[in-house]
Amino acid sequence: MSQTAVKASGVSDAPDAGRWKALVFIALAQLMVVLDATIVNIALPSAQQDLGISDGNRQWVVTAYALAFGGLLLFGGRIADLWGRKRTFVTGLTGFAVASALGGAATNEAMMFGSRALQGVFGALLAPAALSLLAVMFTDAKERAKAFGIYGAIAGGGGAVGLILGGFLTEYLNWRWTFFVNIPFAIVAAIGAYFVIREPKGGRNRSSLDIPGVILSTLGLVALVYGFTRAESNGWSDALTVGMFVASAVLLLAFVVVESRVKAPLLPLRVITERNRGGIYLSLGLAVIAMFGLFLFLTYYLQIVKGYTPVKTGFAFLPMIAGMITGSTQIGTRLMTRVAPRLLMGPGFLVAAVGMLFLTQLEVDTSYAAVLLPGMLLLGLGMGTAFMPAMSLATMGVEPRDAGVASAMVNTSQQVGGAIGTALLNTIAASATTSYIADHIGGASSRSQQQLVQLQGQVQGYTSAIWFAVGILVVAAAIALTFVNAGRPGSGKAVSGSGAGEAAEDELPVPVIAH
């Protein structure tokens, strides 16, 4: 890479000697955040009983976190650009640990909901800072591929690891440990980051904070996430659900108008209008829609239909984790510097869709080895292979001053995708289940036959929703193959910068920086 390109970026060309040690602590923090998205789900029934949370309110254990996290991600990314990524990262870890301690010590539902919202607030600081630190520290193409391979494996497989850990802690200790377990993660990562991470100079964005942008984006994203969350429990025609979607559309449209006019926007439109990044945000969001719904359905299927314990359910997800790690660290990392990113992302999403196709064959007595094992393995391989170049390319070519918000957009697309996936696919599944049971329950004369029809109805609902997930992954592949046109590192066809001119013809721009 030329000295000119490096100097123009404002980043020193000397790689940080402690970058691989720093990766350990960044990866640990990312694992903690991703784990938290699923680990609490397994503990929820026990926590609900202990704290006397009503069925109507239990969703707030999940929703309070999702609203704070999803709504504040762009703000968190901008704070990282303004305040410094290392400082934001350590602050996020410290706050997350405190919030987790409050959650584990909760004595009533208000304390639980408050701690979950607080986790979301500090998670929104932590996640963009982690990804942007990774990208400003790893600028060599091959090293970047390895670093993002590890990060991508954690981002993709951490949720499934959360199911295993959540099962162990809930079954052998108690639900409070699904919160307390975050504390050692956060302490180790914060101490390590404080002493090891050396953030490159010249990457701060010291412009004044775009207050209207912060308010509009936060309210718009909160309304959007809450709309999908409410749709899952109250239906799509519910007045408040529809009102949330309308409000979100108005607020986010106003946000775009404001961002196009203010001098120092919260989210410079140049970040999302660049063809490659726009395609990645969209395809990643769609892929997460498919994945989040599947995690939920497979957890229910294994525990309710197959009668697995929480621990056994967690271990049943191991093939998916192994596939993601292999796809990300072996296939993606090895090929990223040799082929164009779209040739990893498109086929990766299609392989994941084939894995989903296996899972559309689920029945009450389906063999784990014949259907679930190959399905989850292919799904993991495909997602791992696609996620790794997507995470890297989404933050490549971005000016240092925009690194935080570009990272936040990756997390935002995943967070919104998760909310949409859970609500949309759950609705499809519930509708198919109700229809199946109504059509078949009349022919069940005994109680055991009625129970069988109920189980068959649930499985019918899961497979109907999984068919939609297959289609969504095919669309994600098509978007990746169509929109993402960047060449492989060093090919001369790079991602354009964020407004500071194009990259040199014979090199990629300096990468500066994806829940």
Side-chain angles (χ1 to χ4, degrees):
M1 183 169 289
S2 71
Q3 293 294 323
T4 305
V6 173
K7 288 176 182 176
S9 72
V11 181
S12 169
D13 61 343
D16 179 16
R19 61 195 180 282
W20 290 108
K21 292 179 183 177
L23 176 61
V24 173
F25 301 113
I26 293 170
L28 189 63
Q30 174 66 12
L31 178 61
M32 181 188 70
V33 173
V34 178
L35 281 176
D36 204 69
T38 53
I39 195 172
V40 174
N41 290 348
I42 285 185
L44 184 53
S46 302
Q48 180 185 357
Q49 186 175 1
D50 276 6
L51 300 179
I53 302 173
S54 67
D55 286 346
N57 284 341
R58 69 180 174 188
Q59 64 160 328
W60 284 101
V61 176
V62 176
T63 304
Y65 177 82
L67 292 181
F69 187 70
L72 292 170
L73 272 168
L74 285 177
F75 180 51
R78 179 67 179 84
I79 289 295
D81 288 336
L82 179 70
W83 200 25
R85 295 170 194 96
K86 175 179 174 178
R87 185 186 298 177
T88 305
F89 182 70
V90 173
T91 301
L93 281 166
T94 305
F96 203 91
V98 172
S100 298
L102 289 172
T107 54
N108 54 51
E109 63 178 33
M111 191 172 173
M112 169 61 76
F113 300 157
S115 70
R116 287 292 282 163
L118 202 59
Q119 278 186 316
V121 170
F122 286 104
L125 281 178
L126 174 61
L131 182 54
S132 56
L133 272 173
L134 192 65
V136 296
M137 296 181 78
F138 289 91
T139 55
D140 175 76
K142 289 186 178 180
E143 286 194 349
R144 184 179 173 87
K146 290 178 184 177
F148 273 86
I150 295 167
Y151 185 89
I154 291 171
V161 175
L163 295 172
I164 297 176
L165 191 56
F168 260 108
L169 294 172
T170 303
E171 198 165 321
Y172 297 116
L173 294 172
N174 64 51
W175 65 267
R176 295 184 184 277
W177 282 97
T178 61
F179 286 89
F180 291 146
V181 73
N182 290 329
I183 298 172
F185 275 95
I187 290 173
V188 171
I191 293 173
Y194 182 80
F195 287 106
V196 171
I197 290 177
R198 298 287 180 269
E199 184 178 351
K201 296 179 180 179
R204 297 276 187 93
N205 184 343
R206 300 186 185 276
S207 304
S208 58
L209 192 60
D210 171 21
I211 300 298
V214 170
I215 294 171
L216 289 170
S217 67
T218 300
L219 292 178
L221 288 170
V222 165
L224 183 62
V225 173
Y226 184 57
F228 281 111
T229 303
R230 187 173 174 85
E232 181 187 354
S233 56
N234 294 72
W236 295 89
S237 59
D238 173 72
L240 185 53
T241 300
V242 174
M244 283 292 124
F245 287 136
V246 172
S248 173
V250 171
L251 288 164
L252 292 177
L253 182 60
F255 172 67
V256 171
V257 172
V258 167
E259 297 309 274
S260 67
R261 297 183 178 183
V262 297
K263 184 178 179 182
L266 173 71
L267 175 63
L269 297 183
R270 60 181 176 265
V271 172
I272 56 174
T273 54
E274 197 281 318
R275 174 176 180 158
N276 290 279
R277 281 189 288 276
I280 284 167
Y281 296 148
L282 189 55
S283 60
L284 268 184
L286 287 169
V288 171
I289 288 175
M291 269 192 70
F292 263 62
L294 185 76
F295 274 158
L296 196 64
F297 297 142
L298 284 184
T299 301
Y300 283 145
Y301 174 79
L302 292 169
Q303 290 195 29
I304 296 173
V305 179
K306 303 296 281 186
Y308 284 20
T309 64
V311 171
K312 190 175 179 182
T313 299
F315 275 107
F317 279 93
L318 277 177
M320 188 185 297
I321 299 171
M324 284 181 175
I325 292 172
T326 303
S328 187
T329 63
Q330 299 303 311
I331 300 173
T333 298
R334 292 175 186 275
L335 294 181
M336 185 180 162
T337 56
R338 301 178 185 179
V339 301
R342 68 178 181 277
L343 299 181
L344 290 173
M345 291 178 62
F349 288 137
L350 290 176
V351 169
V354 172
M356 286 277 196
L357 273 176
F358 269 87
L359 300 174
T360 61
Q361 308 306 307
L362 288 180
E363 294 177 359
V364 173
D365 58 351
T366 292
S367 160
Y368 177 86
V371 176
L372 285 157
L373 176 61
M376 287 198 283
L377 190 59
L378 285 172
L379 182 66
L381 272 172
M383 287 295 196
T385 301
F387 269 47
M388 185 263 160
M391 293 283 187
S392 178
L393 190 62
T395 55
M396 186 174 281
V398 181
E399 290 182 23
R401 62 188 174 134
D402 296 333
V405 290
S407 295
M409 273 303 299
V410 179
N411 288 285
T412 300
S413 67
Q414 292 177 328
Q415 186 67 21
V416 172
I420 295 171
T422 304
L424 178 63
L425 297 183
N426 251 1
T427 304
I428 293 167
S431 176
T433 295
T434 302
S435 177
Y436 182 92
I437 292 174
D439 291 343
H440 294 81
I441 199 71
S445 55
S446 66
R447 181 171 177 78
S448 62
Q449 287 178 325
Q450 290 174 350
Q451 289 176 336
L452 179 60
V453 169
Q454 295 277 355
L455 289 177
Q456 289 171 334
Q458 286 188 38
V459 176
Q460 179 67 28
Y462 303 154
T463 55
S464 297
I466 291 171
W467 272 111
F468 272 85
V470 171
I472 290 169
L473 282 174
V474 171
V475 173
I479 289 171
L481 288 167
T482 304
F483 282 81
V484 179
N485 65 350
R488 63 180 176 80
S491 68
K493 190 178 183 183
V495 183
S496 64
S498 299
E502 300 296 325
E505 284 300 312
D506 62 344
E507 64 197 1
L508 276 173
V510 178
V512 209
I513 296 232
H515 277 134

